[in-house]
C-alpha cells in the first residue's frame, strides 16, 4: 500500500513547467513553439537534458519522437506516459507540456523513493501533435503507432513550405530508434492533460476521467471564382470566391449550433486573392475543423457540408476543391483504466467527472493497440490555445498524483 | 467641318496599348503595375518618352501627376484629356491606359494634320487612381483638383508599409510643377475609358455616354475576439472574429441584392489571426466597398451596415473598429458635353447609350470645377480588374475618334 501514500514533488513539477514555458516565450505572455522550429528544438533539448539527468534510457525515432525509459525489475511491456511539447503559435504553458513533465515527475518520484516497478516505466514526447505547422496533427504518435506512414509524414510540407524531414534534420531530431510494436511492447498508455474546455473549471471539479476522444475531420477548401471590378459588376453576375467562403463559414457555424452540444465547427484559416479592397476575389482557401464524439454524427455533418458546397458551387458558378487534412474517428478508452483513475481520485479525496475529450490527443493513437486512458485537470475559464491558458499548481499536482498512482498500480500489476 | 472627318491612327494607338501592356506583364497575361512601384516607373518612363517625342510641354507635380500640353493659338484655358496608368495587381491592358494613350493619339493626330486649336490641348496621367496600394484611390487627381491635401496624401502608408512620398522619390516622379487652378486653367476635361461592366458588350453598343459616377464608400473593419481551442470551446461560448467577418460579408451581399441594381457591395480583402486550422480566430480585418449613384441610398446602406455591426458586436462579444479608407459622393457630368458626345457618336454612325459609371474615375474629381464628361467603350463580358479584360481594336478606335471630335470641338469653341 506504500505506493498509495507516495506523492510527487509539486514544486519541482511547477518549476519545470515554468522553465519550459520560457522557451519560445511570447512578449505578452504564453509561448510559441511550432513543431520542429528552433524554439521546438530548444524545448526538446531542455526536456531531454532532464531525462538524461535521471539516467533514463533515451530513444529517438525517425519522426523525432523521444522516449525515456526507467528499467523494470522484469522484462515486461512498458507502462508509458506521454504527450507533446510542440505548441500552437499563441499557446499557454500547459497544453502537452503538463503530460510530459508530469510523466517525468512520476519517474523521478519512483527513483527517489527507491521503487523499481516490475514493468519498465517510460515518458515520451511525440512530434507535431498540434498540427499547426504540419497537417495532420498527432503526427508523431500516429507514426509511433503505425497509424500513419513514416515516408508520407516525413514528406509533409508545412505552412512555410518546408518539409518535416528537412526540419527534423535541421534541428537534429531525426533519430534511428527501431519501430515500436505498441501492441506487444506497451502495457498501458496514460496521458495527463489540461481539459482545454470549461466544464471542470465551471463545476469546480478536480479530475476529469476521460472516457474517450471525439472524432476530428479537418479539410481545406479552395474556391476558384472570377476576379472583377467591385464597382461595376452587377451583384448577380459575380463569381465571388470570398463570398462563397463566407457562406461556408456561417453555414458550418449554424450546422454546429443545430447539432449542439456534441458538434463543434470552426473555420480557423482563410486566404483571399487578390485580396484588394476594390477587386472581387477570384480565389479563396479556407479550412474547416469538424468534431463530434459520435462517428455517425460526424459523418452526417460532413455530408451536410458537402451537399451545401455542391449547391454553392452551382449557385455562384465557382469551382470548389476539397483536400482532407486529417480525419480521426472517435476513440473509446479502456474501461478498466477509466475505473482505476476514478478510484484513485476518490482515494485521494479529489472530486472527479467522467467526460469525453473535445480535443485530439496522442493517447487516441494508442487506444486501438493497448489499454489507454487520460486524466484531465481544469483549465481556467476553459481557455486554451491561448496565452491566458492556466491551471493552478495545486490542480497540476492533483493530476500528477493520480497519474503516479495509476501508473504504479499497472507497473506492479 | 474638316475636323469631323479627321480620324486617329487606330494601328498606332493599338501598338502603344500593347507596348505599355508589356511593362509589368504577368506570366499568364495581363499586367501588374501597382502605383509607384518599379513597374509603374517603367510604364511612366515609356509614356513620358512618347509625350516628349511629340514635343509637348511636360509638367510633373508634387504627387507625380504628369501633364503634356500642346500649345493653343491663343492663351486660353486648356482642354484636358486624362486617366491613369497605374493598375491593380491582376489587371488588363485597357483600364486607365486607354484614356491616356487615346489622349496622346488625339494630340498626335492634331499635330500630324497641322491643326493648332485655339485652346491648348493636354493629356495627363494621374498618380494612384486604383488605390490598390495606397488608399484612397484617385489620389493624384484628388490632389490636382485640391480635393485632397497634398501633405496628407504624401504621408499615406501603403499595404507594404511604404509612404507615397518615399516611393515617389524612389521612382523619381516627385515633380515641382505649380498647383493648378482647375476652375480657371482647365476649359474642359474628357476621359475615355473601358466600361468595366457588361452593359455595352451585352447590348452590342459602341459608345457609352457617361452621365456621372456613382458614389463610393470604402471602409476597413477590425474585429477583436478571443482565440481558443477549436475542439473544446462550446459553440455558444465563442468570440470568433472570423465568423463575425463572414457574417458581415454575407450581410453586405444580401444588402446589395435587396437594393439592386443600383447598390454594389464587395468584401475584397480579409485577414484572420492566428489563421490556424484548429484555433478560433481572435482577429479579423476586412474591407467593405459600397457604391451607389444615389447619395441618399449610399447613406442608407452605410447606416444599415453600421447597425448590423453594432448588433454583431453585442451578439458575439467582440469589439469592432471602423476606419474610413475613402468616401466620394456621386458625381453628375456636364449636360452640354454629354450631349456633344452623344451627337458625335451619332454623326460617326456609332450606336450609343447613356449610363452611369459604376467605377470611380479621375474625371469625377474635375466635375465640380470644370465641364467634364467621359466616354465608355465596351469591355468583353464586362470583365475588368482581371487579366482577361478586353476591348477590340475597332471599339478602341471608335472611342478615340469620338474623343478627338469632342475635344477639337471644345478646343476650337
Amino acid at each position: 500500500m506504500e505506493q498509495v501514500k507516495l506523492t510527487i514533488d509539486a514544486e519541482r513539477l511547477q518549476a519545470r513547467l515554468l522553465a519550459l514555458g520560457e522557451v519560445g516565450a511570447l512578449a505578452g505572455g504564453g509561448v510559441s513553439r511550432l513543431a520542429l522550429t528552433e524554439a521546438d528544438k530548444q524545448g526538446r533539448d531542455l526536456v531531454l537534458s532532464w531525462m538524461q539527468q535521471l539516467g533514463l534510457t533515451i530513444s529517438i525515432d525517425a519522426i523525432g519522437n523521444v522516449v525515456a525509459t526507467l528499467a523494470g525489475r522484469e522484462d515486461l511491456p512498458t507502462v508509458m506516459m506521454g504527450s507533446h511539447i510542440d505548441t500552437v503559435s499563441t499557446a499557454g504553458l500547459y497544453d502537452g507540456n503538463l503530460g510530459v513533465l508530469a510523466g517525468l515527475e512520476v519517474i523521478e518520484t519512483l527513483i527517489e523513493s527507491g521503487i523499481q516497478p516490475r514493468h519498465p516505466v517510460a515518458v515520451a514526447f511525440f512530434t507535431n501533435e498540434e498540427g499547426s505547422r504540419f497537417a495532420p496533427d498527432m503526427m508523431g504518435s500516429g507514426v509511433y503507432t503505425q497509424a500513419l506512414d513514416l515516408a508520407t509524414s516525413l514528406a509533409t510540407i508545412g505552412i512555410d513550405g518546408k518539409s518535416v524531414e528537412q526540419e527534423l534534420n535541421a534541428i537534429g531530431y531525426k533519430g534511428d530508434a527501431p519501430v515500436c510494436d505498441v501492441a506487444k511492447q506497451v502495457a498501458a498508455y496514460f496521458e495527463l492533460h489540461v481539459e482545454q474546455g470549461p466544464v471542470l473549471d465551471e463545476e469546480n471539479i478536480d479530475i476529469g476521467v476521460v472516457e474517450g476522444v471525439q472524432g476530428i475531420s479537418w479539410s481545406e477548401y479552395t474556391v476558384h471564382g472570377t476576379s472583377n471590378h467591385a464597382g461595376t459588376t452587377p451583384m448577380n453576375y459575380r463569381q465571388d470566391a470570398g463570398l462563397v467562403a463566407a457562406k461556408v463559414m456561417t453555414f458550418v457555424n449554424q450546422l454546429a449550433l443545430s447539432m449542439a452540444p456534441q458538434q463543434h465547427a470552426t473555420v480557423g484559416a482563410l486566404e483571399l486573392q487578390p485580396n484588394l479592397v476594390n477587386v472581387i476575389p477570384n480565389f479563396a482557401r479556407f479550412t474547416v475543423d469538424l468534431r463530434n464524439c459520435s462517428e455517425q454524427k460526424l459523418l452526417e455533418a460532413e455530408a451536410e457540408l458537402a451537399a451545401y458546397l455542391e449547391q454553392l458551387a452551382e449557385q455562384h458558378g465557382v469551382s470548389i476543391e476539397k483536400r482532407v487534412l486529417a480525419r480521426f474517428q472517435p476513440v473509446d478508452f479502456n474501461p478498466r483504466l477509466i475505473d482505476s483513475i476514478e478510484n484513485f481520485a476518490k482515494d485521494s479525496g479529489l472530486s472527479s467527472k467522467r467526460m469525453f475529450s473535445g480535443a485530439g490527443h496522442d493517447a487516441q493513437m494508442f487506444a486501438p493497440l493497448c489499454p489507454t486512458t487520460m486524466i484531465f485537470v481544469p483549465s481556467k475559464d476553459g481557455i486554451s490555445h491561448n496565452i491566458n491558458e492556466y491551471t493552478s499548481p495545486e490542480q497540476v499536482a492533483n493530476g500528477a498524483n493520480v497519474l503516479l498512482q495509476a501508473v504504479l498500480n499497472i507497473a506492479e500489476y
Side-chain angles (χ1 to χ4, degrees), chain A:
Chain A
M1 289 302 97
E2 186 198 7
Q3 63 268 31
V4 178
K5 296 201 203 71
L6 200 64
T7 59
I8 58 100
D9 182 333
E11 286 183 10
R12 183 169 56 200
L13 174 52
Q14 194 63 33
R16 283 191 176 137
L17 277 167
L18 297 177
L20 183 52
E22 283 168 18
V23 181
L26 296 168
V31 296
S32 177
R33 293 196 309 268
L34 289 178
L36 308 184
T37 55
E38 174 59 24
D40 186 23
K41 176 198 189 307
Q42 290 172 21
R44 287 165 168 263
D45 292 349
L46 179 61
V47 175
L48 188 62
S49 70
W50 289 330
M51 291 169 161
Q52 287 162 335
Q53 285 161 24
L54 295 181
L56 305 177
T57 304
I58 311 286
S59 80
I60 305 180
D61 66 17
I63 197 77
N65 298 318
V66 175
V67 182
T69 306
L70 172 68
R73 297 199 305 275
E74 299 174 29
D75 180 18
L76 294 169
T78 301
V79 176
M80 184 177 284
M81 301 169 284
S83 195
H84 62 96
I85 60 171
D86 71 306
T87 76
V88 296
S89 60
T90 55
L93 306 192
Y94 304 89
D95 183 346
N97 305 297
L98 173 60
V100 175
L101 298 180
L104 191 67
E105 178 57 36
V106 163
I107 290 176
E108 185 158 6
T109 301
L110 295 178
I111 293 171
E112 283 190 334
S113 316
I115 297 173
Q116 183 181 28
R118 276 183 69 223
H119 289 262
V121 177
V123 59
F125 57 84
F126 299 100
T127 297
N128 183 39
E129 189 274 346
E130 291 292 3
S132 293
R133 186 183 180 198
F134 301 98
D137 55 356
M138 293 167 283
M139 182 181 280
S141 48
V143 169
Y144 192 83
T145 55
Q146 297 177 53
L148 291 180
D149 174 61
L150 173 61
T152 308
S153 300
L154 289 173
T156 303
I157 303 301
I159 55 178
D160 48 15
K162 293 175 177 167
S163 77
V164 168
E165 181 160 34
Q166 196 178 350
E167 295 298 88
L168 273 170
N169 287 322
I171 68 169
Y173 273 87
K174 190 168 191 305
D176 53 11
V179 175
C180 175
D181 180 348
V182 172
K184 287 201 179 64
Q185 296 172 246
V186 180
Y189 179 86
F190 292 93
E191 185 167 356
L192 173 63
H193 206 284
V194 289
E195 180 195 350
Q196 305 180 273
V199 177
L200 297 177
D201 182 52
E202 286 194 348
E203 302 181 12
N204 195 24
I205 291 168
D206 303 312
I207 298 294
V209 178
V210 188
E211 299 180 284
V213 179
Q214 68 185 352
I216 296 181
S217 168
W218 282 4
S219 46
E220 176 191 80
Y221 297 92
T222 304
V223 184
H224 294 281
T226 305
S227 68
N228 211 334
H229 193 290
T232 59
T233 313
M235 298 308 293
N236 52 346
Y237 284 30
R238 300 179 173 209
Q239 286 134 21
D240 184 336
L243 176 63
V244 169
K247 286 188 171 185
V248 176
M249 291 166 83
T250 54
F251 176 83
V252 296
N253 180 254
Q254 287 304 315
L255 179 65
L257 289 171
S258 72
M259 296 171 71
Q262 295 308 339
Q263 180 65 48
H264 295 91
T266 307
V267 174
L270 171 63
E271 178 202 355
L272 299 183
Q273 290 177 15
N275 209 40
L276 298 171
V277 60
N278 57 343
V279 183
I280 296 164
N282 67 330
F283 176 99
R285 177 168 287 157
F286 60 94
T287 58
V288 175
D289 175 324
L290 299 174
R291 310 198 193 199
N292 199 308
C293 47
S294 153
E295 175 66 9
Q296 183 50 42
K297 292 288 183 189
L298 189 55
L299 288 168
E300 283 172 30
E302 290 175 321
E304 286 206 42
L305 174 55
Y308 182 65
L309 287 163
E310 206 164 302
Q311 172 200 323
L312 275 183
E314 170 74 21
Q315 178 190 346
H316 289 275
V318 300
S319 72
I320 305 179
E321 297 157 20
K322 175 183 181 177
R323 186 163 71 95
V324 174
L325 300 180
R327 182 65 166 82
F328 299 105
Q329 293 196 7
V331 171
D332 293 321
F333 288 150
N334 179 279
R336 189 166 59 82
L337 295 194
I338 292 169
D339 292 344
S340 77
I341 298 298
E342 199 166 45
N343 294 333
F344 283 118
K346 194 173 175 192
D347 294 347
S348 310
L350 300 171
S351 56
S352 71
K353 174 173 186 158
R354 292 187 173 226
M355 61 200 306
F356 252 72
S357 170
H361 295 292
D362 295 307
Q364 74 197 64
M365 308 310 295
F366 286 82
L369 301 175
C370 67
T372 299
T373 195
M374 295 184 71
I375 303 163
F376 278 175
V377 288
S379 300
K380 186 170 190 310
D381 301 328
I383 288 175
S384 82
H385 281 191
N386 182 303
I387 62 173
N388 297 316
E389 179 185 72
Y390 180 73
T391 300
S392 75
E394 185 192 356
Q395 293 168 323
V396 162
N398 289 341
N401 278 316
V402 172
L403 176 67
L404 168 64
Q405 293 160 44
V407 165
L408 193 47
N409 177 60
I410 298 294
E412 283 299 342
Y413 189 73

